[in-house]
């Protein structure tokens, strides 16, 4: 995957395949040397690339790429509505349409950290939730609107995101899967005590 203003994006995990509402989302991780994934690491940053079918965020340390079917994206610059691709990075939330079919998180060196396939999410709602800056809210939206979020990595430890609404001394719970196909959607609401 190549990320950046005006660049192109391609590679595994950037599929434009349509997913039906009955599909089950699958979370996979790769490139992790200690076999865990901290949901708190979901990168938040400005949209630095936005053209069909991708919206890519650059958080300074990681990239977050959304693959969107039926893609549309506009923003307002000097009281004129323009395509997002002509105005990145975007400081304010754009008007986005379409359906998010996959999410991929990579390092700046394009090494994959996390990927979710089989999504069928409102791109508008997800983009606005990402702009809110709450990892917990983003994961709740993904998990509860995906017909299940199945962890594909056997033995993977998932660390829940913290919530800014809770005192910093409240630690998130952890989920350790004994096998693949653990459903994260049934767990996400118990991340924080």
């Amino acid at each position: 995957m190549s990320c950046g203003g005006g660049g192109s994006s391609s590679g595994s995990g950037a599929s434009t395949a349509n997913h039906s509402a009955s599909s089950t989302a699958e979370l996979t991780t790769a490139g992790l040397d200690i076999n865990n994934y901290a949901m708190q690491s979901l990168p938040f940053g400005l949209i630095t690339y936005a053209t069909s079918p991708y919206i890519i965020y650059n958080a300074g340390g990681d990239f977050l790429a959304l693959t969107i079917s039926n893609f549309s994206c506009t923003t307002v610059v000097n009281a004129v509505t323009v395509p997002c691709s002509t105005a990145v990075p975007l400081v304010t939330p754009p008007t986005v349409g379409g359906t998010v079919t996959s999410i991929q998180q990579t390092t700046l060196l394009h090494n994959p950290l996390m990927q979710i396939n089989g999504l069928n999410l409102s791109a508008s709602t997800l983009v606005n939730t990402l702009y809110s800056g709450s990892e917990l809210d983003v994961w709740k939206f993904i998990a509860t609107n995906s017909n299940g979020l199945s962890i594909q990595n056997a033995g993977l430890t998932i660390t829940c995101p913290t919530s800014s609404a809770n005192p910093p001394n409240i630690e998130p719970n952890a989920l350790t899967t004994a096998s693949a196909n653990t459903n994260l959607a049934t767990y996400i609401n118990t991340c924080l005590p």
Side-chain angles (χ1 to χ4, degrees):
M1 180 170 73
S2 175
C3 307
S8 64
S9 294
S10 63
S12 65
S15 169
T16 58
N18 292 325
H19 299 279
S20 68
S22 63
S23 64
T24 299
E26 298 176 350
L27 183 151
T28 58
T29 62
L32 300 176
D33 55 358
I34 53 175
N35 201 32
N36 65 26
Y37 178 71
M39 297 168 74
Q40 188 69 30
S41 73
L42 194 70
F44 287 89
L46 295 179
I47 293 175
T48 54
Y49 180 77
T51 190
S52 183
Y54 308 108
I55 287 181
I56 297 173
Y57 296 79
N58 183 345
D62 288 340
F63 286 116
L64 185 69
L66 311 180
T67 307
I68 302 174
S69 63
N70 301 313
F71 179 96
S72 66
C73 185
T74 58
T75 191
V76 177
V77 177
N78 297 326
V80 177
T81 300
V82 298
C84 291
S85 58
T86 64
V88 292
L90 302 178
V91 178
T92 57
T95 301
V96 177
T99 302
V100 175
T101 59
S102 71
I103 297 172
Q104 186 177 41
Q105 179 180 352
T106 73
T107 68
L108 291 178
L109 298 176
H110 311 300
N111 295 317
L113 296 174
M114 172 274 287
Q115 182 170 309
I116 308 173
N117 289 322
L119 294 174
N120 190 12
L121 302 175
S122 161
S124 175
T125 303
L126 182 56
V127 167
N128 287 328
T129 305
L130 283 164
Y131 267 91
S132 77
S134 168
E135 286 94 345
L136 188 60
D137 289 344
V138 172
W139 281 106
K140 282 183 177 179
F141 176 72
I142 293 170
T144 58
N145 291 280
S146 302
N147 244 357
L149 182 55
S150 179
I151 302 168
Q152 296 305 295
N153 303 67
L156 182 71
T157 299
I158 298 289
T159 302
C160 287
T162 57
S163 170
S164 58
N166 289 281
N169 61 332
I170 295 181
E171 294 297 324
N173 297 318
L175 169 66
T176 302
T177 65
S179 61
N181 302 316
T182 298
N183 191 306
L184 189 61
T186 59
Y187 175 81
I188 192 70
N189 287 322
T190 64
C191 273
L192 293 172

